[in-house]
Amino acid sequence: MTAARTPLIAGNWKMYKTEREAEDYIQALLPRVSSIDGADVAVCVPFTDLRAMVDSARGSRVEVYAQNMHHEPEGAFTGEVSPLMLSDVGAQGVVLGHSERREQFGETDRALALKVPAALAAGLTPILCVGETESERENEDTDRKLRQQIKDDLVNVPSERLTDVVIAYEPIWAIGTGKVATPEQAQEAIAFIRALVGDRDAQAAQGVRILYGGSVKADNAAELLALPDVDGALVGGASLQADSFAQIVGAAAAR
Ligand code: PGA
């Protein structure tokens, strides 16, 4: 059953790397991952790096994703970028609902309910991020939070397209903190998310890829990626160096 789900290792660069730095990185990354089999690889880059990365990664196994988008194809939305613009530039996917966007830029579940199907309609793979805060976990509110996010954010995605969405479980307390979820915590939350997708569609639950994110590093990746319901990782800090990111890709392929 899990064998049917190819793991995805996605690097979330956040607001790092000028075009020159991105070029140096991709030239270092491509040879390091070219012979690794059994895992999909994506780099989620700032808008300004998209075209250069699409050009440099063309013909390789590395896909290039954006980190946010508006849901409309065009319009009077100053400062925004549309799904159409992303697919036009050659991006293959987009991170949606990252907790930094939810917490610092007011991204709502209502907006995500529009963005996720808009990404799919534009031929982009959405990586939908969900996860609880530290106090929600302490108050045993994790299940409620995940249930609400999965329900609200996927409400407009038809059952037959659920497997085209990638979900990233990112406990907010583990992002950029060096505090990684224990394997038990990661497995339990991700199995719970899979069951929530199963409430919509049993078949989709078996096919949908669910990643873990939050302080994934080269030295803890193998343990997390070996968990039965974990289908890859969304990697922030450790994705910024080609070497450590390639090691994580290797750990996914070896699982
Ligand atoms: P981190 O970030 O790996 O640096 O914790 C993960 C993320 O924000 O996606």
Side-chain angles (χ1 to χ4, degrees):
M1 159 198 107
T2 49
R5 299 191 302 261
T6 304
L8 169 65
I9 302 298
N12 175 16
W13 290 2
K14 311 192 179 188
M15 198 173 72
Y16 289 97
K17 296 195 192 295
T18 62
E19 196 177 297
R20 180 72 258 152
E21 291 164 345
E23 272 300 345
D24 290 346
Y25 175 97
I26 200 84
Q27 297 313 332
L29 180 68
L30 293 179
R32 285 174 168 81
V33 297
S34 63
S35 60
I36 302 176
D37 249 356
D40 293 338
V41 185
V43 286
C44 312
V45 309
F47 292 133
T48 47
D49 293 332
L50 277 173
R51 186 175 291 281
M53 290 305 94
V54 165
D55 286 345
S56 296
R58 187 169 288 121
S60 81
R61 56 205 315 264
V62 176
E63 298 197 339
V64 179
Y65 286 23
Q67 299 175 9
N68 182 36
M69 59 167 221
H70 196 278
H71 66 273
E72 291 284 356
E74 60 182 13
F77 302 107
T78 302
E80 292 290 318
V81 168
S82 82
L84 190 70
M85 291 166 180
L86 294 182
S87 53
D88 180 60
V89 83
Q92 287 145 300
V94 58
V95 177
L96 293 176
H98 190 280
S99 60
E100 285 153 14
R101 294 221 58 86
R102 292 179 188 260
E103 295 199 320
Q104 299 175 49
F105 302 97
E107 178 108 311
T108 62
D109 290 312
R110 229 159 120 189
L112 289 161
L114 298 170
K115 289 185 180 198
V116 179
L120 291 171
L124 301 165
T125 298
I127 299 181
L128 171 68
C129 302
V130 297
E132 80 287 0
T133 63
E134 185 149 43
S135 69
E136 285 165 341
R137 177 160 284 272
E138 279 164 4
N139 295 328
E140 294 179 11
D141 219 8
T142 300
D143 288 3
R144 184 204 56 79
K145 177 73 171 294
L146 295 175
R147 182 180 292 112
Q148 174 244 314
Q149 288 183 322
I150 293 295
K151 179 166 166 281
D152 292 358
D153 300 352
L154 295 177
V155 66
N156 295 321
V157 177
S159 297
E160 68 273 14
R161 300 245 30 209
L162 283 171
T163 51
D164 297 325
V165 178
V166 174
I167 299 171
Y169 167 62
E170 297 208 307
I172 296 170
W173 46 271
I175 295 178
T177 57
K179 245 200 237 177
V180 64
T182 65
E184 294 70 29
Q185 288 171 328
Q187 168 59 28
E188 189 187 350
I190 289 178
F192 180 70
I193 292 169
R194 195 175 301 288
L196 293 172
V197 175
D199 291 343
R200 286 275 312 273
D201 188 283
Q203 227 180 333
Q206 294 312 313
V208 70
R209 290 189 290 181
I210 310 179
L211 317 182
Y212 169 78
S215 298
V216 175
K217 305 267 180 289
D219 60 9
N220 61 22
E223 189 178 26
L224 291 159
L225 293 168
L227 297 167
D229 278 289
V230 175
D231 304 318
L234 183 56
V235 186
S239 77
L240 291 172
Q241 305 296 328
D243 236 343
S244 54
F245 187 56
Q247 283 176 44
I248 296 169
V249 175
R255 77 181 192 146

